[in-house]
Amino acid sequence: MDRRRVSLHLSNADARRIFLAKQGLSRPRGALTKAGLLDLITEIGFVQVDSIATVERAHHHILFARNPTYRREHLTKLLEKDGELFEHWTHDAAIIPSAFFIYWKHRFAWENETLIDRWRKWREEGFEQQFDIVYQRIVAGGRIMSRDFETPRATPGGWWNWHPSKTALEYLWRTGKLAIAGRDGFQKIYDLTERVLPPRYYEGEISHAEFVDWACTSALDRLGFATHGEIAAFWDLVAPDEARAWVLANRDRLEEVLVTPADGGKPRASYALAGSAEPFAALPTPPSRLRVLSPFDPLLRDRNRAERLFGFSYRIEVFVPAHKRTFGYYVFPLLEGDRMIGRIDMKAERKDGTLDVRRLWLEPGVRASSGRLASLDAELTRLARFAGVESVRYLDGWNAPV
């Protein structure tokens, strides 16, 4: 980056404000309608899906953190009735606006090239024939789940233990021939994509150049400012070298910015869409209230970016052996205004009707003042109701000094 061409310097406070607003965390708290929910998901781009429900599943928690009037039934209708949202992959499984489906067709083509070779190595000879058998069964009979197939050889575990029909379902979904029509519990219900999505989303094609331009432009818009690597990582649709080439080819549409990190160190060179100074200045500040975020919140998805902007080092320790964890199995980040102030270990004990708080860790320099703890309690009470339990229960040692 040529520093003579830098047109915008962002303080750390402004960088945090911009990113929080771009990620939907500075929106007003008015009642969230179904249409408003679709607008919110479109604004932030996607909502990650995860099966862990220590308090509430990730997608519900992410949306609740942005508006506590969020209603799960609105999401279900947008996904399963209206076809305005679909499930597929960004960096992980996610709920995505169906208006973006046309761009995912390019991901389907890539998946088709890579998955078939990967799975051929460990599936028995002739397993690809099962793909057509499963597909034709859905053509004739409609919606289906993995458990609808007889699976005498199935064993618990990851994808390496999938039975051939489950492998076929996942392959057909990952390559766009099937879509998720709903879920039973957390198990996917599959159907033909053309039966799940409205034709206005399912039909049509775009060129690869148009696809790359959309992937990069839309990512940068949702990040506010980013390096080419961050642009590529946002959707996980294009490679870093494609994003780099896009930046070089579109310098007239971009401006170079320097972003001050949380530690006050050397500003990081990034890009923003041209003319961003005025729109950035108009973005709102986040509300001052304290919020509990999901471990999969998109604000923290890029751990390195989050650490630079907020000075907050956060890792999910689900797959870390218990004796090696720094904090806990599933620890929730705490956002107060524009600062990450700590993390909390808690679990919804539905048999007891309580949200059990096991431990609170505040960041260095953040005081456990009576006002802050009262704000935390109010947020936990809201979250408990949302998770379907009656009260918050603080366990012994929850606020023990570090």
Side-chain angles (χ1 to χ4, degrees):
M1 177 178 288
D2 184 351
R3 291 182 179 271
R4 294 173 298 177
R5 296 186 59 191
V6 172
S7 59
L8 191 59
H9 292 253
L10 295 178
S11 68
N12 182 249
D14 278 340
R16 294 197 311 270
R17 177 179 59 82
I18 291 163
F19 190 40
L20 284 160
K22 290 289 187 177
Q23 286 300 299
L25 285 159
S26 301
R27 285 174 146 237
R29 290 183 62 183
L32 188 64
T33 63
K34 186 177 73 166
L37 175 60
L38 179 60
D39 288 343
L40 171 58
I41 297 173
T42 302
E43 177 184 325
I44 62 179
F46 61 89
V47 178
Q48 186 169 337
V49 176
D50 191 80
S51 62
I52 299 174
T54 301
V55 173
E56 182 52 272
R57 296 202 191 278
H59 47 294
H60 295 312
H61 191 163
I62 289 166
L63 296 167
F64 173 81
R66 283 151 177 79
N67 192 311
T69 70
Y70 159 69
R71 295 168 58 183
R72 298 174 186 81
E73 58 265 32
H74 285 162
L75 186 69
T76 299
K77 288 178 181 177
L78 288 168
L79 273 166
E80 300 181 13
K81 304 295 184 184
D82 303 341
E84 292 293 336
L85 298 170
F86 74 104
E87 287 191 45
H88 215 271
W89 283 77
T90 54
H91 63 288
D92 213 322
I95 295 168
I96 306 161
S98 297
F100 302 163
F101 184 84
I102 192 170
Y103 304 105
W104 257 253
K105 288 185 175 183
H106 289 259
R107 183 179 185 116
F108 302 154
W110 174 82
E111 296 270 17
N112 186 60
E113 293 175 2
T114 58
L115 288 181
I116 200 76
D117 287 336
R118 184 194 311 170
W119 288 346
R120 183 182 288 115
K121 294 176 183 177
W122 56 268
R123 276 282 145 241
E124 64 270 18
E125 184 178 354
F127 83 99
E128 290 173 60
Q129 296 175 2
Q130 189 69 17
F131 291 2
D132 188 57
I133 293 170
V134 169
Y135 183 76
Q136 293 303 326
R137 179 170 171 178
I138 296 172
V139 169
R143 298 182 176 191
I144 206 165
M145 292 184 286
S146 175
R147 70 185 184 212
D148 293 325
F149 294 90
E150 293 186 14
T151 58
R153 296 186 299 105
T155 56
W159 54 262
W160 55 89
N161 283 329
W162 288 348
H163 58 81
S165 297
K166 169 65 173 175
T167 304
L169 287 169
E170 285 292 303
Y171 172 80
L172 293 167
W173 170 56
R174 294 279 287 267
T175 56
K177 297 177 180 66
L178 301 182
I180 297 174
R183 286 183 181 265
D184 182 355
F186 204 69
Q187 188 169 95
K188 297 169 187 160
I189 303 171
Y190 302 88
D191 201 353
L192 301 182
T193 299
E194 57 266 37
R195 293 175 183 164
V196 176
L197 296 183
R200 65 183 180 277
Y201 299 136
Y202 177 75
E203 297 172 350
E205 301 288 341
I206 57 167
S207 69
H208 186 74
E210 291 172 313
F211 158 69
V212 171
D213 184 64
W214 176 85
C216 293
T217 303
S218 61
L220 185 54
D221 183 50
R222 286 164 176 79
L223 291 166
F225 50 86
T227 65
H228 75 272
E230 291 169 340
I231 291 170
F234 182 82
W235 298 112
D236 196 25
L237 289 173
V238 298
D241 59 341
E242 288 181 293
R244 183 193 293 274
W246 177 84
V247 166
L248 292 174
N250 289 275
R251 296 298 292 273
D252 58 330
R253 296 171 52 196
L254 306 175
E255 59 183 325
E256 298 164 350
V257 301
L258 291 177
V259 182
T260 304
D263 64 6
K266 182 180 178 182
R268 184 176 179 83
S270 298
Y271 297 94
L273 296 174
S276 289
E278 188 173 342
F280 282 172
L283 290 172
T285 57
S288 60
R289 70 184 179 91
L290 192 152
R291 284 177 278 185
V292 179
L293 301 184
S294 164
F296 295 102
D297 196 285
L299 186 76
L300 303 172
R301 188 203 66 77
D302 186 332
R303 307 300 190 204
N304 293 329
R305 178 182 171 98
E307 190 163 353
R308 285 194 303 272
L309 290 180
F310 298 98
F312 185 67
S313 178
Y314 181 75
R315 301 293 184 271
I316 297 174
E317 298 183 289
V318 168
F319 300 110
V320 177
H323 68 282
K324 293 185 177 181
R325 290 174 188 148
T326 303
F327 298 103
Y329 171 76
Y330 199 74
V331 173
F332 298 81
L334 299 177
L335 173 68
E336 183 183 67
D338 68 349
R339 294 195 303 159
M340 303 302 306
I341 65 161
R343 61 203 86 202
I344 189 168
D345 184 5
M346 59 186 179
K347 182 180 181 182
E349 296 290 355
R350 291 179 169 81
K351 289 184 179 179
D352 296 335
T354 59
L355 178 62
D356 284 3
V357 177
R358 298 166 172 170
R359 189 70 189 272
L360 170 69
W361 298 267
L362 294 177
E363 289 292 278
V366 177
R367 291 179 55 247
S369 65
S370 58
R372 179 168 283 126
L373 292 181
S375 295
L376 174 62
D377 186 66
E379 175 67 3
L380 294 179
T381 299
R382 285 189 289 267
L383 186 56
R385 287 197 299 264
F386 181 68
V389 296
E390 289 76 39
S391 62
V392 180
R393 181 168 63 183
Y394 294 90
L395 304 186
D396 290 345
W398 74 274
N399 198 18
V402 177

